[in-house]
Amino acid sequence: MNDIIFTDKQSPASITGQTISKTNCPYCGVGCGIEATVENNKVIAVKGNVEHPANLGRLCVKGSSLHETQGLQNRILHPRVKGKNVSWDKATSTIADHFKATIAQYGPDSVAFYLSGQLLTEDYYVANKLMKGFIGSGNVDTNSRLCMASATAAHKRAFGEDVVAGCYDDLSSAEAIFIIGANPAYAHPIVYQRMIKAREENPARKIVVIDPRRTASAKDADLHLAIKPGSDAYFYNGLLIYLAEQGKLDKDYIAKHCHGFEQALETAKSQFSDISDVAIACDIELSLLLESYQIFAETDKVVTFFSQGINQSSSGVDKANAIINCHLATGKIGREGAGAFSITGQPNAMGGREVGGLSTQLAAHLHFENSNEIDLVKRFWQAPNIATKPGLKAVDMFDEVNSGKIKAIWIMATNPVVSMPNANLVKRALEKCPMVVVSECYENTDTINYADVVLPASTWGEKQGSVTNSDRTISVHQSMIKAPGEAKNDWQIITDVAHKLGFKDAFNYQHAVDIFREHAALSGFENSHPLAEKKAEKDIYRVFDISALANISQSDYENFIPTKWPINVANPNGVQRIFTDGVFATKNQKANFIPIIAQLPKILPDKTQVVMNSGRIRDQWHTMSRTGRVAKLMTHSDEPYIAVNPDDAQRFQLADKQLAVLSNLSADYIGRVNITNEQRTGEIFVPIHWNDNFSASARVSALVNPITDELCGQPELKHSPVRIKPFNAVWSGYLISSQTVNCPTSYWSKIQLEQGHKYLLSDKQKLGDDETILANIYPQIDDWIVLKDAQQNVLRIAGFIDNKLHCFFAASTDLNLKFNSRYIEGQLNKALPIKTRFALMSGIDSNGKGDVGDMICSCFQVGEKTIQEAIKSGQCKSVASLGEKLQCGTNCGSCIPELKTFFT
Amino acid sequence: MSTFANYITLKYVSSTMANTESPTADMLRNKHCESITQIKPSLVIIGNGMATGRLLDEIIKRTPNKYQITVIGKENFGSYNRIMLSAVLAGDATIDSIMQKPPAWYKQHNINFLSGSEVTYIDNKAKVASLASKVQIHYDELIIATGSRTAKIPAKNQNIAGIFNFRDIADTEKIQAFAKQTSTSAKQAIVIGGGLLGLEAAYGLALSGVEVTLVHRNKWLLNRQLDKVAGVMLQSIMEQKNIKFALGHEVAAFESITEPNVDMKSAASSEILSGVTLTNGEFISAQMAVIATGITPNKALAETSNIDFNRAILVNDYMQTSDASISALGECCEHKQATFGLVDPIWAQCISLAERLCNNVQKPFQNAPVPTKLKVSGVQLFSAGDVEVSEGSECFTLLDNKALIYRKIMVKSGKISGIVLFGDVSSGMAYFELMQQQIIVNTMMPELLIGDEFVTTIEDEQKVSIA
């Protein structure tokens, strides 16, 4: 092997002995600090870092399980070209040669990079520099396009720069929090716990949730407004009118620090003759609407906390601006406990935005619109071939791959075959694209199936680099363990290819800190505050300035204390809040009111359709390549599902806990029906996580129309009219297996267990002969126990290898039967006494202790029945006492809303 | 008349039993005195098998002195446990150990016991039973408990030396003697019949070192008690015990050779068994054959007397034959088209009959299903009720081919209609009770199939099943 994969420098953690490293969680945009204990090249434990400002020591269930995501299962260990293992040299040459030839023949815009908010800032920086600076195309986009593009554009419009002005501490000090288009109880549990704790300390604090769904966050709110999907801008425009009518405007602030208020108000008014029209537009009771408006108007410190429900929309930028308008109009911004707080989905969406990860940005918060900004970057990079116009945004990028205009694409750390709208088009596009390069850690992603070149990347715990969380806090991830096989850090891989493309001098990085220093230097390059005394003519002001770190030592970098940018001469220790002085990053230093014509989603359902909303569930992350490996994270919700209102269930003849099929764009989604009043009539909800590696037909995005916001290119992922019908299974069951298997059934869903996997199964076709059902899947097994009745109302089959339970299949034509396999799961791979092993077929141990009911607390594995017993026994009379006795709810707190329901 | 008859009988006893410990003098005196002072009704029991043994117990328990009881038995033994003969054959038990009622017991209970005697004719008008010796015995109540004999098979040449039945102590001793005799030269035996008796005989012979082939006309063993799956499992276990099987065919003919050096004292013919030819033409070499194809009720007395019979002697719910003074019991009787081969229903017959005779209580006999067990060590099987699924019934099975465990429960109208257990019979009796009590079990399925203890753990209102 020509390439040395790891040097001690790249992997500084000691290989033996126990060490503790301060690092960060790689999941959501909260960006929690972690203390990881490493032993024998393995992270053996994680806990929250009490010193990290994001989480102050707490971790959610996903973060708490990070060390369990390790291991070689599904890891990619070697570079591959066309399915064959090759050397790194061969792999990078293949890429470089192909990209060079393509660019030579078709120009730089015939190639593209598609990046990810999972990448560290240094990786992002190098990729962006290579494409925009040296290949000379703007075609670098990122999955942040699906997540943050609306907020980014809205910030730019309102503030002149993509800046989140506030910080997490504001969530503790706010007197009212409006959560709109977000379900932080599930998606951002640690900041959500902050809000809840603050309200517990002062019950006068209010939490208002505006969401079509009655989410876990909504259940715990003081006020929940289940507005019509997509009517968010109507709500905030209505609020603006209300504030004006009620005399609740901060006229001083508007006059001093803002621009365009009158036009914004007039535009808002143009859609409504009266506030009651707002209630109609939002489809909520007027009294509720007014109650919420009154809270906003009469509370001094208000934070609007928003996320994908606002962003993932054909008018997401406008929605975000409608929110910002109201905060500007009341001066509820740029001060403690007040502001419009956009929270990102991913751990480093902000870092990506800082380096120009989006095709519409250049780098360091500089843009293509102004030739001076292009020139600034060109000079700094010494990049004569720099791109001069924005590249293609994600949806357009894959359209062009499909049309053949883009002939080579390099996808890093993301899974677009699962996550992109109209995902089957993405699949087809990649199928025909002459060169698809995929940098990945895991084999079990759907996208990897379409790669010509697969590059093994390092992952959490292995790679070092910085991230920026949703409140501008920069933290550094630590390399604590050696990556397996030949896996490399993304920046190294990109650098290797850059060298082979002939850009050795510009990509002369030995360590992540080299990149970080350059990035920090660029942020301060010709950057001065508009009111600064020393100010050069050509200076272009950016709030994003971390130039104080341009000469950071490697040691300081590796021990970096989390700090909120800007970090510059004026603010060497960072800045808690921005725009506190009312000076914005616009030319006139005033914030812009943006006149908003509120719009509903572009495609509305016809009579045969329902509106499909999509989102995260509590214990899974993205496309599950990591969280899907952790058994306990599967216990809360283990199967793709469809939340349906009872009226719709009746209308479409759907039965609770039975499967249903959603259809759109010639794609299907099969999920388990969950009939609930949490959904509005005509609207369903599906989780985004499942994909072809985990279920038969559960790539939600394949059903999402490729409708985007014209301003920012973000797709309307939250609003897809789809058809819904019963799956009409004739049997259902499950298979517990030591090995992964290809299920021959039209429905299956895979669940990771402590040992092996569980597959939930159903089919529209009758079960075959019980002798052959499993024999085809496990040709190596000849030791079976079969329990059945003649009608296959009951069928259970256990297969053994060397007397150890290898697989267990249970099925029934009684679709209403509730399955509980926990006892059997525990017996997998165990040697069982031959004369009594048939008792296994009962599914319970003879003491009847096998069944703890549905899992409520994933952290401590506390089941429903255990909780019910504790309550029944009189020992537990509150959520707190349940926690004392059973520990449930005392770690991540995500299950507390559910624990509360036991007492109501 | 009755006094006279008694006298005649007893006199006969005194003469025929001269060589045994003689009860004659005492009995004569007692009976004679009784006949003078107070004449008890005479209860005569023909046959001295297990049914009679149990009936005597039931009678003595109720009214030890109501009847003057006479027992007439063909074998020269008291009552013994016939079921244990296979254990005797296997060497696990001795003849002595299976004796339940030695002759002294009869004496002790004041019962006239005529061993080695056979009744040939019943004059039910005169209420007299005639012995082969022409001696006549008066009865007030007569009980026929003549049992059964080995069913005949249609094979040719059944008179060759070395062909045995397996019904009584004499058969057992003959088989044992032959097995010992042949053990030095050839030691091959054919056992004909794959029912309980045949299997037990085969097992017993195999244990004594004989190479056994069991011939059974059905395709699997115990086909009345087991379905094919269990029958095949049983076969594989028996094969491990060195028994070979020829299934699906009958013996067409016994084959013989002339033995030049045969001991003329012990063998009536010089033709001795060399093997059997099956109906498919296959020849199996053997020096001994045991016929255990099933039983034929001994109904000859009914045929020669004026008593209704069918396959066996017909009885009503109170064990009465067509003659109200004559009852029948055990393997020789037929009740509602059923004949009997297992002890459990016969015990119930004994109780019904004893209640009527002793207490004048009409306690109808009910022929409840009886579980089957096989007395072969290492083989656990349990069967009751239906063996094969019938129209309209559900059938739950559990099969572990490696552990050789098989469970099958048939459910009809929600109730158990049949049980077949093999390899593990731990819940057999629990199932049997559920079947007898006609408990609705369909909500307990399939957990019940795995064991009754698995039902109790999930009887909560919210039944959570694994499938």
Side-chain angles (χ1 to χ4, degrees), chain A residues 734 783-790 794 796 803 808 810 817-820 834-835 837-839 841-844 846 865, chain B residues 393-405 407 423-424 446-447 449-450 453-454 457-458 462 464-467:
Chain A
Y734 65 79
D783 180 8
W784 300 103
I785 303 181
V786 179
L787 180 153
K788 63 176 175 177
D789 73 347
V794 173
R796 299 173 194 176
N803 292 329
F808 187 96
L817 221 49
K818 196 176 172 191
F819 293 97
N820 189 333
I834 185 121
K835 279 292 162 193
R837 64 180 191 170
F838 73 92
M841 307 306 275
S842 69
I844 45 176
S846 32
K865 287 193 176 171
Chain B
S393 68
E394 286 178 275
C395 178
F396 297 85
T397 56
L398 168 66
L399 175 64
D400 183 341
N401 261 323
K402 187 172 181 191
L404 293 174
I405 288 172
R407 301 182 149 229
D424 181 297
E447 282 72 21
L449 182 65
I450 300 150
E453 69 271 29
F454 291 97
T457 57
I458 51 162
Q462 284 181 315
V464 177
S465 169
I466 62 160

Side-chain angles (χ1 to χ4, degrees), chain A residues 401-420:
Chain A
V401 174
N402 192 45
S403 74
K405 277 190 189 162
I406 291 176
K407 296 175 191 314
I409 186 165
W410 187 351
I411 298 162
M412 302 179 204
T414 185
N415 198 359
V417 169
V418 179
S419 51
M420 284 290 293

Side-chain angles (χ1 to χ4, degrees), chain B residues 166-409:
Chain B
F166 183 40
R167 279 300 294 166
D168 54 27
I169 287 176
D171 292 339
T172 309
E173 286 174 334
K174 278 190 252 175
I175 294 168
Q176 278 179 319
F178 202 93
K180 272 183 196 146
Q181 178 202 318
T182 56
S183 63
T184 47
S185 52
K187 32 181 182 177
Q188 294 165 302
I190 302 281
V191 173
I192 302 159
L196 286 169
L197 194 65
L199 282 163
E200 288 172 17
Y203 176 63
L205 280 169
L207 271 189
S208 61
V210 176
E211 191 182 292
V212 182
T213 303
L214 189 146
V215 179
H216 184 49
R217 69 178 173 186
N218 203 283
K219 289 218 166 61
W220 64 87
L221 301 172
L222 283 186
N223 53 287
R224 291 224 182 141
Q225 291 88 5
L226 302 180
D227 63 3
K228 188 179 179 186
V229 176
V232 169
M233 266 191 186
L234 173 62
Q235 182 183 342
S236 75
I237 286 186
M238 298 306 280
E239 279 167 351
Q240 288 166 19
K241 297 179 186 295
N242 290 319
I243 297 169
K244 291 179 186 162
F245 291 91
L247 302 182
H249 304 289
E250 293 183 71
V251 172
F254 293 95
E255 308 295 343
S256 61
I257 52 168
T258 309
E259 181 64 51
N261 298 324
V262 71
D263 178 354
M264 293 308 287
K265 273 189 218 162
S266 60
S269 159
S270 61
E271 293 290 297
I272 63 158
L273 188 71
S274 64
V276 298
T277 303
L278 303 184
T279 44
N280 67 343
E282 189 191 345
F283 175 79
I284 303 169
S285 172
Q287 295 73 48
M288 170 170 49
V290 177
I291 301 171
T293 46
I295 54 172
T296 298
N298 288 325
K299 60 178 178 182
L301 277 178
E303 287 168 345
T304 56
S305 312
N306 190 21
I307 299 168
D308 290 351
F309 63 91
N310 182 30
R311 276 194 296 146
I313 302 165
L314 293 169
V315 293
N316 66 12
D317 286 350
Y318 310 100
M319 313 316 295
Q320 277 170 311
T321 67
S322 52
D323 181 324
S325 299
I326 303 176
S327 304
L329 184 68
E331 291 174 345
C332 68
C333 78
E334 178 176 335
H335 173 262
K336 292 182 178 168
Q337 280 99 54
T339 55
F340 305 89
L342 299 167
V343 291
D344 302 69
I346 297 174
W347 294 166
Q349 292 175 352
C350 291
I351 290 165
S352 173
L353 183 53
E355 279 296 300
R356 179 165 60 83
L357 293 178
C358 301
N359 300 334
N360 210 18
V361 169
Q362 303 279 302
K363 181 182 167 65
F365 162 67
Q366 284 175 325
N367 186 17
V370 178
T372 302
K373 293 164 187 171
L374 183 66
K375 288 161 295 302
V376 171
S377 82
V379 177
Q380 294 198 62
L381 66 83
F382 187 101
S383 165
D386 294 347
V387 172
E388 296 291 350
V389 61
S390 59
E391 186 72 26
S393 68
E394 286 178 275
C395 178
F396 297 85
T397 56
L398 168 66
L399 175 64
D400 183 341
N401 261 323
K402 187 172 181 191
L404 293 174
I405 288 172
Y406 176 65
R407 301 182 149 229
K408 172 160 126 176
I409 293 179

Side-chain angles (χ1 to χ4, degrees), chain A residues 33-67:
Chain A
I34 282 178
E35 269 185 26
T37 308
V38 180
E39 191 179 79
N40 294 325
N41 198 41
K42 199 168 181 245
V43 179
I44 55 166
V46 292
K47 62 174 187 173
N49 175 5
V50 290
E51 290 165 6
H52 198 288
N55 56 318
L56 308 169
R58 299 199 80 163
L59 283 183
C60 77
V61 63
K62 291 189 288 287
S64 309
S65 312
L66 260 173
H67 55 295

Side-chain angles (χ1 to χ4, degrees), chain A residues 316-357:
Chain A
V317 184
D318 283 355
K319 287 175 181 172
N321 280 118
I323 294 167
I324 294 167
N325 282 349
C326 290
H327 284 268
L328 290 173
T330 49
K332 290 171 181 163
I333 195 162
R335 59 187 170 92
E336 190 188 358
F341 194 95
S342 145
I343 186 141
T344 70
Q346 300 195 80
N348 198 30
M350 294 282 271
R353 284 145 74 174
E354 288 153 18
V355 300

Side-chain angles (χ1 to χ4, degrees), chain B residues 102-120:
Chain B
W105 181 90
Y106 297 85
K107 180 185 169 193
Q108 192 188 330
H109 291 90
N110 220 7
I111 295 167
N112 303 328
F113 176 40
L114 280 65
S115 64
S117 301
E118 213 173 339
V119 173
T120 53

